[in-house]
Amino acid sequence: NAGVMQNPRHLVRRRGQEARLRCSPMKGHSHVYWYRQLPEEGLKFMVYLQKENIIDESGMPKERFSAEFPKEGPSILRIQQVVRGDSAAYFCASSPDRDTEAFFGQGTRLTVV
Amino acid sequence: AQSVTQLGSHVSVSEGALVLLRCNYSSSVPPYLFWYVQYPNQGLQLLLKYTSAATLVKGINGFEAEFKKSETSFHLTKPSAHMSDAAEYFCAVSEKGTSYGKLTFGQGTILTVHP
């Protein structure tokens, strides 16, 4: 059973471009969580999704950030018009249900130049 | 809102020595508690979790943690450090009634192990 797969592992974008980060959960997992790890900071919760539904987006910035988890395919974290401050490691985690611990992917390291 | 405090951003021990990484949480209701480990450029791996069962929890790689409600603590220990334990360790909490995957993390503690 493959783990949580995130791609790309590294992403470089110029200011103003869009960044799309993909997360394929573990097989059988229908709950996905996104976290951001800024330099010198801990991990911060961003959003919790279940297939086709956003359950909790209390940690998402109000502008430029969006997330989806369609019926088919990976979960996508989308950042529009990226700025230097968006440079961070973004981690995705998945679980089979809400009462089971989450398994983390290896992260996508976004660099905005 | 919940918060997690990890005392000591860096801990250094000798190989074979006791490892003690401290974690305190603030919550009016004892939450679910987790310890994760992160190796360089890797994701997080679950070491152990406390979810209202036994207060002394054993995890992988010889680590264990004890939940102490009176002290609002969940310190991580290992009797004898190994070089391969060098990594960053995160304590995290999940509020009861929410998903285990919605976590509030501490700032992390970098463990260095000297030969």
Side-chain angles (χ1 to χ4, degrees):
Chain A
N1 188 5
V4 178
M5 303 301 292
Q6 291 189 247
N7 67 82
R9 290 291 309 278
H10 300 273
L11 181 62
V12 179
R13 283 288 177 266
R14 295 186 184 280
R15 280 177 292 171
Q17 291 184 319
E18 178 180 286
R20 280 182 178 246
L21 288 62
R22 294 175 181 76
C23 170
S24 296
M26 290 179 68
K27 186 177 181 180
H29 288 196
S30 59
H31 296 242
V32 165
Y33 315 83
W34 285 93
Y35 287 82
R36 179 166 63 175
Q37 187 175 35
L38 290 163
E40 307 302 321
E41 295 188 21
L43 291 98
K44 305 291 186 188
F45 167 79
M46 298 181 76
V47 62
Y48 165 27
L49 309 105
Q50 200 177 350
K51 282 286 188 180
E52 299 186 274
N53 290 303
I54 296 175
I55 307 300
D56 184 336
E57 55 182 349
S58 57
M60 284 281 269
K62 293 291 184 280
E63 298 178 346
R64 302 188 296 108
F65 285 72
S66 62
E68 63 176 8
F69 188 17
K71 186 176 181 181
E72 300 291 337
S75 175
I76 306 288
L77 180 67
R78 182 183 179 203
I79 311 172
Q80 295 178 289
Q81 299 176 329
V82 295
V83 300
R84 288 253 172 90
D86 297 332
S87 295
Y90 291 83
F91 290 94
C92 168
S94 73
S95 65
D97 53 61
R98 66 193 307 272
D99 295 324
T100 304
E101 66 271 14
F103 293 82
F104 281 77
Q106 292 190 309
T108 294
R109 281 153 181 83
L110 172 67
T111 302
V112 180
V113 297
Chain B
Q2 295 186 104
S3 66
V4 180
T5 302
Q6 291 184 237
L7 188 61
S9 58
H10 290 79
V11 170
S12 181
V13 300
S14 298
E15 192 172 20
L18 171 71
V19 175
L20 171 60
L21 304 181
R22 299 177 187 274
C23 173
N24 288 86
Y25 67 90
S26 67
S27 175
S28 57
V29 176
Y32 302 125
L33 295 150
F34 305 80
W35 275 99
Y36 282 87
V37 61
Q38 184 180 29
Y39 298 98
N41 297 317
Q42 298 293 316
L44 281 78
Q45 180 181 9
L46 181 68
L47 280 176
L48 47 80
K49 64 181 180 185
Y50 166 78
T51 56
S52 307
T55 57
L56 182 61
V57 181
K58 293 187 183 299
I60 63 171
N61 301 338
F63 285 94
E64 62 181 37
E66 186 173 8
F67 170 67
K68 292 186 176 181
K69 182 178 177 181
S70 61
E71 298 177 8
T72 61
S73 68
F74 191 56
H75 302 331
L76 181 71
T77 61
K78 182 174 180 177
S80 177
H82 191 273
M83 297 295 288
S84 60
D85 294 327
E88 188 163 17
Y89 292 79
F90 292 94
C91 181
V93 303
S94 174
E95 186 177 342
K96 282 188 178 176
T98 65
S99 169
Y100 284 14
K102 183 184 177 185
L103 299 161
T104 299
F105 282 91
Q107 292 289 85
T109 298
I110 296 173
L111 176 67
T112 302
V113 182
H114 296 289

